[in-house]
Tab-separated table of all heavy atoms in Angstrom:
chain	number	residue	atom	x	y	z
A	879	THR	N	12.699	-7.945	-35.721
A	879	THR	CA	13.742	-6.965	-35.808
A	879	THR	C	13.199	-5.652	-36.186
A	879	THR	O	14.003	-4.676	-36.481
A	879	THR	CB	14.871	-7.378	-36.895
A	879	THR	OG1	14.295	-7.653	-38.146
A	879	THR	CG2	15.572	-8.734	-36.374
A	880	ASN	N	11.910	-5.495	-36.329
A	880	ASN	CA	11.248	-4.297	-36.617
A	880	ASN	C	11.347	-3.299	-35.558
A	880	ASN	O	10.865	-3.543	-34.417
A	880	ASN	CB	9.737	-4.556	-36.950
A	880	ASN	CG	8.996	-3.288	-37.368
A	880	ASN	OD1	8.860	-2.346	-36.564
A	880	ASN	ND2	8.467	-3.278	-38.584
A	881	PRO	N	12.011	-2.143	-35.723
A	881	PRO	CA	12.222	-1.175	-34.589
A	881	PRO	C	10.871	-0.753	-33.931
A	881	PRO	O	11.011	-0.573	-32.757
A	881	PRO	CB	12.880	-0.037	-35.357
A	881	PRO	CG	13.385	-0.582	-36.564
A	881	PRO	CD	12.588	-1.687	-36.979
A	882	ILE	N	9.786	-0.596	-34.608
A	882	ILE	CA	8.568	-0.170	-33.965
A	882	ILE	C	8.086	-1.279	-33.152
A	882	ILE	O	7.722	-0.939	-31.965
A	882	ILE	CB	7.515	0.199	-35.110
A	882	ILE	CG1	7.994	1.385	-35.919
A	882	ILE	CG2	6.251	0.588	-34.402
A	882	ILE	CD1	8.348	2.624	-35.342
A	883	LEU	N	8.080	-2.487	-33.582
A	883	LEU	CA	7.609	-3.610	-32.695
A	883	LEU	C	8.572	-3.724	-31.517
A	883	LEU	O	8.041	-4.017	-30.402
A	883	LEU	CB	7.546	-4.876	-33.582
A	883	LEU	CG	6.372	-4.977	-34.535
A	883	LEU	CD1	6.444	-6.217	-35.304
A	883	LEU	CD2	5.038	-4.875	-33.886
A	884	ILE	N	9.856	-3.607	-31.715
A	884	ILE	CA	10.765	-3.788	-30.506
A	884	ILE	C	10.430	-2.640	-29.560
A	884	ILE	O	10.484	-2.926	-28.322
A	884	ILE	CB	12.213	-3.520	-31.105
A	884	ILE	CG1	12.666	-4.831	-31.822
A	884	ILE	CG2	13.257	-3.359	-29.940
A	884	ILE	CD1	13.962	-4.681	-32.552
A	885	ALA	N	10.185	-1.411	-30.064
A	885	ALA	CA	9.912	-0.443	-29.103
A	885	ALA	C	8.554	-0.654	-28.321
A	885	ALA	O	8.546	-0.470	-27.092
A	885	ALA	CB	9.774	1.027	-29.795
A	886	ILE	N	7.536	-1.210	-29.044
A	886	ILE	CA	6.323	-1.473	-28.336
A	886	ILE	C	6.487	-2.585	-27.343
A	886	ILE	O	6.058	-2.649	-26.231
A	886	ILE	CB	5.277	-1.685	-29.334
A	886	ILE	CG1	4.909	-0.478	-30.130
A	886	ILE	CG2	3.920	-2.404	-28.798
A	886	ILE	CD1	4.067	-0.615	-31.350
A	887	ILE	N	7.093	-3.721	-27.792
A	887	ILE	CA	7.193	-4.940	-26.953
A	887	ILE	C	8.097	-4.608	-25.708
A	887	ILE	O	7.821	-4.939	-24.593
A	887	ILE	CB	7.850	-6.142	-27.743
A	887	ILE	CG1	6.871	-6.532	-28.760
A	887	ILE	CG2	8.224	-7.232	-26.729
A	887	ILE	CD1	7.549	-7.477	-29.872
A	888	TRP	N	9.230	-3.956	-25.938
A	888	TRP	CA	10.133	-3.677	-24.874
A	888	TRP	C	9.459	-2.614	-24.014
A	888	TRP	O	9.609	-2.638	-22.783
A	888	TRP	CB	11.424	-2.973	-25.507
A	888	TRP	CG	12.558	-2.975	-24.559
A	888	TRP	CD1	12.685	-3.252	-23.225
A	888	TRP	CD2	13.923	-2.697	-25.015
A	888	TRP	NE1	14.026	-3.161	-22.736
A	888	TRP	CE2	14.837	-2.792	-23.877
A	888	TRP	CE3	14.532	-2.356	-26.205
A	888	TRP	CZ2	16.089	-2.567	-23.953
A	888	TRP	CZ3	15.892	-2.095	-26.256
A	888	TRP	CH2	16.627	-2.244	-25.104
A	889	GLY	N	8.711	-1.686	-24.592
A	889	GLY	CA	8.027	-0.710	-23.746
A	889	GLY	C	6.955	-1.320	-22.851
A	889	GLY	O	6.767	-0.996	-21.656
A	890	ALA	N	6.246	-2.285	-23.458
A	890	ALA	CA	5.167	-2.986	-22.580
A	890	ALA	C	5.875	-3.812	-21.487
A	890	ALA	O	5.323	-3.870	-20.389
A	890	ALA	CB	4.347	-3.918	-23.448
A	891	SER	N	6.959	-4.325	-21.766
A	891	SER	CA	7.741	-5.128	-20.747
A	891	SER	C	8.161	-4.124	-19.667
A	891	SER	O	8.138	-4.431	-18.344
A	891	SER	CB	8.941	-5.797	-21.376
A	891	SER	OG	9.711	-6.468	-20.354
A	892	MET	N	8.691	-2.897	-19.946
A	892	MET	CA	9.039	-1.963	-19.066
A	892	MET	C	7.852	-1.350	-18.178
A	892	MET	O	7.995	-1.012	-17.140
A	892	MET	CB	9.877	-0.854	-19.589
A	892	MET	CG	11.189	-1.271	-20.192
A	892	MET	SD	12.274	-2.138	-18.951
A	892	MET	CE	12.503	-0.824	-17.874
A	893	ALA	N	6.699	-1.350	-18.960
A	893	ALA	CA	5.525	-0.904	-18.211
A	893	ALA	C	5.188	-1.891	-17.160
A	893	ALA	O	4.738	-1.532	-16.067
A	893	ALA	CB	4.355	-0.788	-19.153
A	894	CYS	N	5.362	-3.253	-17.406
A	894	CYS	CA	5.170	-4.200	-16.337
A	894	CYS	C	6.170	-3.921	-15.299
A	894	CYS	O	5.768	-4.124	-14.042
A	894	CYS	CB	5.452	-5.595	-16.974
A	894	CYS	SG	4.087	-6.180	-18.159
A	895	SER	N	7.386	-3.616	-15.485
A	895	SER	CA	8.370	-3.456	-14.439
A	895	SER	C	7.941	-2.133	-13.602
A	895	SER	O	8.097	-2.209	-12.379
A	895	SER	CB	9.735	-3.079	-15.042
A	895	SER	OG	10.232	-4.186	-15.775
A	896	SER	N	7.376	-1.094	-14.316
A	896	SER	CA	6.853	0.059	-13.518
A	896	SER	C	5.715	-0.353	-12.610
A	896	SER	O	5.658	0.089	-11.462
A	896	SER	CB	6.384	1.138	-14.410
A	896	SER	OG	7.534	1.643	-15.108
A	897	VAL	N	4.828	-1.141	-13.102
A	897	VAL	CA	3.757	-1.667	-12.195
A	897	VAL	C	4.361	-2.467	-10.964
A	897	VAL	O	3.854	-2.168	-9.974
A	897	VAL	CB	2.742	-2.583	-12.944
A	897	VAL	CG1	1.688	-3.335	-12.102
A	897	VAL	CG2	2.019	-1.772	-14.050
A	898	VAL	N	5.231	-3.218	-11.213
A	898	VAL	CA	5.932	-3.998	-10.158
A	898	VAL	C	6.514	-3.019	-9.126
A	898	VAL	O	6.250	-3.135	-7.841
A	898	VAL	CB	7.025	-5.012	-10.639
A	898	VAL	CG1	7.857	-5.499	-9.462
A	898	VAL	CG2	6.371	-6.086	-11.313
A	899	ILE	N	7.264	-2.058	-9.661
A	899	ILE	CA	7.878	-1.033	-8.757
A	899	ILE	C	6.946	-0.237	-7.873
A	899	ILE	O	7.052	-0.202	-6.669
A	899	ILE	CB	8.887	-0.079	-9.544
A	899	ILE	CG1	9.984	-0.906	-10.108
A	899	ILE	CG2	9.355	1.080	-8.676
A	899	ILE	CD1	10.805	-0.108	-11.193
A	900	VAL	N	5.918	0.283	-8.586
A	900	VAL	CA	4.818	1.048	-7.842
A	900	VAL	C	4.191	0.203	-6.816
A	900	VAL	O	3.982	0.676	-5.621
A	900	VAL	CB	3.968	1.784	-8.737
A	900	VAL	CG1	2.709	2.460	-8.012
A	900	VAL	CG2	4.681	2.910	-9.610
A	901	THR	N	3.888	-1.009	-7.176
A	901	THR	CA	3.097	-2.019	-6.271
A	901	THR	C	3.963	-2.306	-5.068
A	901	THR	O	3.540	-2.260	-4.009
A	901	THR	CB	2.657	-3.215	-7.029
A	901	THR	OG1	1.898	-2.792	-8.115
A	901	THR	CG2	1.900	-4.116	-6.127
A	902	TYR	N	5.275	-2.566	-5.408
A	902	TYR	CA	6.203	-2.996	-4.255
A	902	TYR	C	6.450	-1.844	-3.272
A	902	TYR	O	6.363	-2.006	-2.095
A	902	TYR	CB	7.573	-3.413	-4.857
A	902	TYR	CG	8.610	-3.531	-3.831
A	902	TYR	CD1	8.540	-4.577	-2.930
A	902	TYR	CD2	9.568	-2.559	-3.663
A	902	TYR	CE1	9.570	-4.651	-1.870
A	902	TYR	CE2	10.534	-2.575	-2.559
A	902	TYR	CZ	10.448	-3.715	-1.776
A	902	TYR	OH	11.330	-3.712	-0.734
A	903	PHE	N	6.593	-0.602	-3.814
A	903	PHE	CA	6.832	0.586	-2.985
A	903	PHE	C	5.625	0.818	-2.084
A	903	PHE	O	5.705	1.114	-0.929
A	903	PHE	CB	7.215	1.833	-3.779
A	903	PHE	CG	8.569	1.818	-4.265
A	903	PHE	CD1	9.415	0.655	-4.243
A	903	PHE	CD2	9.110	3.054	-4.819
A	903	PHE	CE1	10.752	0.753	-4.668
A	903	PHE	CE2	10.396	3.058	-5.309
A	903	PHE	CZ	11.195	1.993	-5.187
A	904	THR	N	4.390	0.604	-2.642
A	904	THR	CA	3.161	0.894	-1.901
A	904	THR	C	3.078	-0.201	-0.848
A	904	THR	O	2.694	0.118	0.323
A	904	THR	CB	1.962	0.848	-2.921
A	904	THR	OG1	2.192	1.799	-3.949
A	904	THR	CG2	0.690	1.147	-2.124
A	905	MET	N	3.368	-1.401	-1.259
A	905	MET	CA	3.247	-2.488	-0.289
A	905	MET	C	4.185	-2.293	0.912
A	905	MET	O	3.849	-2.569	2.078
A	905	MET	CB	3.497	-3.928	-0.978
A	905	MET	CG	3.315	-5.127	-0.097
A	905	MET	SD	3.506	-6.619	-1.038
A	905	MET	CE	5.351	-6.633	-1.327
A	906	ARG	N	5.363	-1.894	0.543
A	906	ARG	CA	6.517	-1.648	1.558
A	906	ARG	C	5.976	-0.543	2.556
A	906	ARG	O	6.140	-0.750	3.820
A	906	ARG	CB	7.823	-1.286	0.864
A	906	ARG	CG	8.945	-0.954	1.931
A	906	ARG	CD	10.172	-0.632	1.184
A	906	ARG	NE	9.996	0.567	0.462
A	906	ARG	CZ	10.867	1.058	-0.401
A	906	ARG	NH1	12.000	0.409	-0.560
A	906	ARG	NH2	10.640	2.114	-1.007
A	907	GLN	N	5.468	0.517	2.066
A	907	GLN	CA	5.068	1.604	2.908
A	907	GLN	C	3.848	1.204	3.879
A	907	GLN	O	3.791	1.520	5.045
A	907	GLN	CB	4.462	2.782	2.183
A	907	GLN	CG	5.546	3.732	1.747
A	907	GLN	CD	4.944	4.889	1.135
A	907	GLN	OE1	4.325	4.950	0.017
A	907	GLN	NE2	5.137	6.127	1.831
A	908	ARG	N	2.984	0.249	3.366
A	908	ARG	CA	1.983	-0.341	4.255
A	908	ARG	C	2.459	-1.357	5.230
A	908	ARG	O	1.937	-1.439	6.291
A	908	ARG	CB	0.964	-0.943	3.332
A	908	ARG	CG	0.024	-0.008	2.469
A	908	ARG	CD	-0.867	-0.784	1.619
A	908	ARG	NE	-1.569	0.087	0.798
A	908	ARG	CZ	-2.336	-0.231	-0.293
A	908	ARG	NH1	-2.273	-1.502	-0.687
A	908	ARG	NH2	-2.944	0.620	-1.017
A	909	ALA	N	3.523	-2.122	4.863
A	909	ALA	CA	3.955	-3.174	5.758
A	909	ALA	C	5.050	-2.726	6.783
A	909	ALA	O	5.128	-3.396	7.798
A	909	ALA	CB	4.491	-4.350	4.862
A	910	VAL	N	5.861	-1.842	6.465
A	910	VAL	CA	6.923	-1.390	7.330
A	910	VAL	C	6.499	-0.380	8.225
A	910	VAL	O	5.934	0.619	7.946
A	910	VAL	CB	8.207	-1.048	6.545
A	910	VAL	CG1	9.359	-0.508	7.454
A	910	VAL	CG2	8.642	-2.074	5.607
A	911	SER	N	6.807	-0.577	9.662
A	911	SER	CA	6.481	0.462	10.575
A	911	SER	C	7.206	1.758	10.336
A	911	SER	O	8.221	1.770	9.750
A	911	SER	CB	6.723	-0.125	11.980
A	911	SER	OG	8.200	-0.151	12.178
A	912	LYS	N	6.415	2.806	10.650
A	912	LYS	CA	6.935	4.169	10.410
A	912	LYS	C	8.390	4.445	10.929
A	912	LYS	O	9.087	5.108	10.414
A	912	LYS	CB	5.941	5.185	10.895
A	912	LYS	CG	4.505	5.066	10.326
A	912	LYS	CD	4.430	5.801	9.012
A	912	LYS	CE	3.024	5.767	8.635
A	912	LYS	NZ	2.646	4.949	7.444
A	913	ASP	N	8.632	3.830	12.082
A	913	ASP	CA	9.909	4.174	12.814
A	913	ASP	C	11.121	3.550	12.070
A	913	ASP	O	12.269	4.038	12.265
A	913	ASP	CB	9.902	3.737	14.225
A	913	ASP	CG	9.574	2.214	14.401
A	913	ASP	OD1	8.726	1.722	13.722
A	913	ASP	OD2	10.279	1.592	15.272
A	914	ILE	N	10.948	2.551	11.265
A	914	ILE	CA	12.029	2.135	10.520
A	914	ILE	C	11.882	2.173	8.881
A	914	ILE	O	12.703	1.701	8.171
A	914	ILE	CB	12.357	0.614	10.779
A	914	ILE	CG1	11.115	-0.247	10.438
A	914	ILE	CG2	12.704	0.476	12.337
A	914	ILE	CD1	11.460	-1.744	10.558
A	915	LEU	N	10.832	2.874	8.460
A	915	LEU	CA	10.568	3.060	7.120
A	915	LEU	C	11.713	3.695	6.316
A	915	LEU	O	12.126	3.322	5.257
A	915	LEU	CB	9.328	3.756	6.802
A	915	LEU	CG	8.764	3.989	5.433
A	915	LEU	CD1	8.625	2.490	4.750
A	915	LEU	CD2	7.544	4.685	5.250
A	916	GLY	N	12.265	4.697	6.871
A	916	GLY	CA	13.458	5.411	6.263
A	916	GLY	C	14.628	4.434	5.972
A	916	GLY	O	15.179	4.450	4.933
A	917	ARG	N	14.909	3.579	7.058
A	917	ARG	CA	16.002	2.641	6.848
A	917	ARG	C	15.615	1.619	5.772
A	917	ARG	O	16.486	1.110	4.917
A	917	ARG	CB	16.297	1.915	8.134
A	917	ARG	CG	17.057	2.920	9.042
A	917	ARG	CD	17.280	2.179	10.362
A	917	ARG	NE	16.105	2.622	11.157
A	917	ARG	CZ	15.880	2.327	12.398
A	917	ARG	NH1	16.682	1.443	13.057
A	917	ARG	NH2	14.850	2.790	13.044
A	918	ALA	N	14.364	1.200	5.734
A	918	ALA	CA	13.942	0.215	4.750
A	918	ALA	C	13.987	0.832	3.315
A	918	ALA	O	14.538	0.213	2.383
A	918	ALA	CB	12.491	-0.242	4.972
A	919	ILE	N	13.674	2.084	3.238
A	919	ILE	CA	13.570	2.735	1.909
A	919	ILE	C	15.146	2.979	1.475
A	919	ILE	O	15.507	2.825	0.293
A	919	ILE	CB	12.921	4.159	1.988
A	919	ILE	CG1	11.398	3.811	2.073
A	919	ILE	CG2	13.176	4.944	0.790
A	919	ILE	CD1	10.590	5.045	2.328
A	920	ALA	N	16.014	3.254	2.350
A	920	ALA	CA	17.473	3.413	2.050
A	920	ALA	C	18.166	2.142	1.728
A	920	ALA	O	19.053	2.048	0.819
A	920	ALA	CB	18.113	4.176	3.191
A	921	THR	N	17.754	1.088	2.414
A	921	THR	CA	18.485	-0.216	2.238
A	921	THR	C	18.054	-0.898	0.960
A	921	THR	O	18.855	-1.504	0.154
A	921	THR	CB	18.167	-1.051	3.388
A	921	THR	OG1	18.561	-0.411	4.583
A	921	THR	CG2	18.948	-2.430	3.268
A	922	THR	N	16.804	-0.722	0.523
A	922	THR	CA	16.256	-1.432	-0.687
A	922	THR	C	17.094	-1.186	-2.013
A	922	THR	O	17.483	-2.082	-2.649
A	922	THR	CB	14.708	-1.180	-0.907
A	922	THR	OG1	14.128	-1.499	0.308
A	922	THR	CG2	14.203	-2.019	-2.025
A	923	PRO	N	17.294	0.091	-2.325
A	923	PRO	CA	18.054	0.369	-3.540
A	923	PRO	C	19.503	-0.111	-3.447
A	923	PRO	O	20.092	-0.564	-4.348
A	923	PRO	CB	18.031	1.831	-3.632
A	923	PRO	CG	17.052	2.378	-2.716
A	923	PRO	CD	16.774	1.358	-1.737
């Protein structure tokens, strides 16, 4: 229940989420053909 530890643990968990997001977006750009990339980017969110 220590606020500093909560911030560090939760922050590290969110850092993992950011790694997932950046990796996924990069992978999507590589995998989806350019002619439908815009639709894929719009549909995902």
Side-chain angles (χ1 to χ4, degrees):
T879 57
N880 179 299
I882 302 299
L883 287 177
I884 289 170
I886 292 168
I887 293 166
W888 199 350
S891 178
M892 293 306 294
C894 289
S895 294
S896 292
V897 168
V898 169
I899 291 166
V900 171
T901 304
Y902 168 74
F903 283 12
T904 302
M905 185 175 70
R906 180 181 59 192
Q907 273 190 293
R908 291 177 182 162
V910 176
S911 67
K912 302 274 187 252
D913 58 321
I914 63 167
L915 184 59
R917 284 174 268 181
I919 290 171
T921 304
T922 304

